[in-house]
């Protein structure tokens, strides 16, 4: 039997459909129900297969199931078990609650401050957990990123709230989305500043490390920012439109208690699809032309007898 490429996703990652299939599997919230024992067993299966290529009584389906559980909980570069709320499988349950509450309680300053703080605290954990490779982040860098992203989100949210008081109610309902988008543009680059300064590991198609590139890091971080904003868009744009319609029809005046449950539930449904579909926008194993790298790294790579024209790196999530 031909050896299974266990270090690669099950589906073709050069196509959007293949990437979407992969992320629908790894972001499945049910993965959070796996115990530490089940996670360690899945890791043991994957590690053993990497070493000897033997199924050891397992079916191919069971091997891939173990690999999907492993991918959902362990960092792709370091192999370390990730914080449970920082895993992509925690995105839907955590974000549906946070996003629903941000869009329900957006009118008063204390509510805006509290929920933007909660959201940025969660984002900081996710960004730290899903950073690319062995990228050490100092406590100072972590604190600076967290403080600036939270401040950016609050300034955006409170500033837009004051500007939109005289505008259509639907504009005010979209303020939380603008705040989240602005914060993502601050939080992610700051959290991964070490990669921008020192570079991200680039390798050839066989995984041989060729050097570190800051340019590749910037491309990867840009892709992550865009996918995170895309991930938030459906759950933070469509529910406000529905709530504005229900408000105009008098439904929310008759049932004021229904606003939070409706928005949290709708966010959950939308995020279930938006999370994997936006994670799949760009390949996890991203590529960049050697011609686009730093001149010194280009020279180093071209000294190799089998000099590649394209190199690869883990863009992070």
């Amino acid at each position: 039997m031909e050896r299974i490429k266990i270090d690669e996703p099950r589906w073709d990652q050069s196509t959007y459909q293949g990437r979407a299939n992969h992320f629908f599997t790894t972001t499945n919230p049910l993965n959070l129900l796996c115990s530490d024992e089940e996670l360690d067993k899945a890791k043991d299966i994957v590690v053993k297969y990497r070493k000897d290529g033997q199924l050891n009584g397992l079916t191919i389906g069971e091997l891939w199931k173990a690999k999907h559980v492993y991918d959902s909980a362990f960092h792709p570069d370091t192999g370390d078990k990730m914080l449970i709320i920082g895993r992509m499988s925690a995105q839907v349950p955590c974000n549906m609650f946070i996003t629903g509450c941000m869009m329900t309680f957006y009118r008063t300053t204390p509510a805006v401050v509290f929920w933007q703080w909660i959201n940025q605290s969660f984002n900081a954990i996710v960004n730290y957990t899903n950073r690319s490779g062995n990228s050490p982040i100092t406590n100072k860098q972590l604190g600076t990123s967290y403080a600036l992203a939270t401040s950016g989100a609050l300034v955006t949210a409170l500033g837009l709230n004051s500007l939109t008081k005289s505008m259509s109610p639907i504009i005010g309902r979209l303020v939380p989305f603008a705040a989240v988008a602005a914060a993502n543009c601050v939080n992610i680059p700051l959290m991964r500043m070490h990669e921008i300064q020192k570079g991200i590991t680039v390798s050839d198609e066989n995984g041989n490390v060729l050097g570190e590139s800051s340019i590749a890091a910037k491309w990867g971080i840009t892709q992550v920012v865009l996918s995170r904003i895309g991930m938030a868009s459906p759950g933070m744009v469509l529910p406000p439109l529905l709530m504005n319609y229900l408000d105009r029809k008098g439904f929310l005046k008759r049932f004021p208690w229904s606003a939070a449950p409706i928005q949290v539930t709708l966010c959950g449904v939308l995020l279930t699809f938006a999370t994997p579909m936006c994670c799949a926008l760009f390949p996890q194993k991203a590529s960049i032309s050697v011609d686009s790298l730093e001149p010194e790294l280009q020279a180093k790579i071209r000294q190799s007898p089998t000099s590649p024209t394209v190199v690869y790196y883990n863009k992070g999530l």
Side-chain angles (χ1 to χ4, degrees):
M1 180 188 298
E2 184 181 352
R3 184 175 177 128
I4 295 170
K5 295 180 179 178
I6 198 67
D7 288 323
E8 301 291 334
R10 187 173 189 174
W11 297 277
D12 181 6
Q13 296 298 285
S14 66
T15 67
Y16 177 78
Q17 181 65 53
R19 295 194 297 272
N21 286 340
H22 171 68
F23 283 111
F24 266 106
T25 303
T26 55
T27 63
N28 185 346
L30 295 178
N31 290 327
L32 295 174
L33 301 178
C34 293
S35 64
D36 283 340
E37 183 180 339
E38 290 173 307
L39 294 177
D40 291 337
K41 182 180 178 182
K43 181 177 182 179
D44 187 52
I45 290 172
V46 172
V47 170
K48 283 183 177 178
Y49 189 82
R50 279 175 178 162
K51 287 181 178 178
D52 59 24
Q54 301 297 315
L55 288 172
N56 297 314
L58 296 171
T59 64
I60 292 176
E62 289 170 334
L63 175 65
W64 277 116
K65 183 179 179 180
K67 178 60 164 50
H68 295 150
V69 170
Y70 173 81
D71 283 344
S72 75
F74 293 90
H75 195 281
D77 289 340
T78 65
D80 294 335
K81 189 180 293 181
M82 296 185 286
L83 294 168
I84 189 165
I85 64 169
R87 300 172 193 170
M88 296 312 289
S89 49
Q91 284 285 298
V92 171
C94 290
N95 269 327
M96 67 180 282
F97 176 72
I98 295 171
T99 303
C101 289
M102 274 198 298
M103 292 189 301
T104 302
F105 309 108
Y106 68 95
R107 295 181 186 275
T108 67
T109 297
V112 169
V113 171
F114 178 76
W115 286 108
Q116 288 294 340
W117 169 67
I118 289 291
N119 186 51
Q120 291 313 313
S121 299
F122 175 64
N123 282 345
I125 293 171
V126 173
N127 294 337
Y128 175 79
T129 304
N130 292 282
R131 67 199 184 282
S132 177
N134 296 288
S135 299
I137 297 178
T138 65
N139 290 336
K140 180 180 178 181
Q141 185 179 342
L142 192 64
T144 301
S145 169
Y146 176 57
L148 289 176
T150 304
S151 300
L154 288 175
V155 168
T156 304
L158 295 175
L160 289 178
N161 263 354
S162 64
L163 290 173
T164 57
K165 283 181 179 176
S166 59
M167 298 182 186
S168 167
I170 185 60
I171 303 298
R173 289 184 181 277
L174 292 172
V175 166
F177 172 62
V180 166
N184 271 326
C185 293
V186 174
N187 199 340
I188 297 172
L190 281 173
M191 192 65 70
R192 297 175 59 177
M193 184 58 68
H194 177 82
E195 297 170 36
I196 296 173
Q197 294 172 338
K198 303 294 183 182
I200 194 173
T201 300
V202 296
S203 57
D204 62 20
E205 61 182 351
N206 297 316
N208 299 310
V209 175
L210 300 171
E212 313 285 329
S213 171
S214 294
I215 292 175
K218 291 172 186 175
W219 276 108
I221 291 168
T222 300
Q223 291 173 357
V224 171
V225 170
L226 291 175
S227 65
R228 290 285 187 86
I229 293 174
M231 201 183 296
S233 299
M236 299 194 79
V237 173
L238 296 181
L241 296 177
L242 173 63
M243 299 308 290
N244 194 58
Y245 173 79
L246 294 177
D247 196 19
R248 285 192 288 109
K249 293 296 182 182
F251 180 86
L252 296 181
K253 289 181 180 177
R254 294 196 302 273
F255 306 99
W257 54 267
S258 67
I262 289 173
Q263 293 194 95
V264 169
T265 302
L266 187 54
C267 282
V269 173
L270 292 169
L271 283 167
T272 298
F273 295 94
T275 299
M277 291 175 73
C278 289
C279 281
L281 286 176
F282 306 100
Q284 177 75 24
K285 185 180 178 181
S287 62
I288 184 171
S289 168
V290 172
D291 292 336
S292 300
L293 300 174
E294 295 84 345
E296 61 273 18
L297 183 55
Q298 290 185 40
K300 178 183 175 183
I301 292 173
R302 286 176 177 141
Q303 288 174 357
S304 169
T306 56
S307 172
T309 56
V310 174
V311 294
Y312 301 88
Y313 60 95
N314 174 21
K315 70 173 178 62
L317 285 172

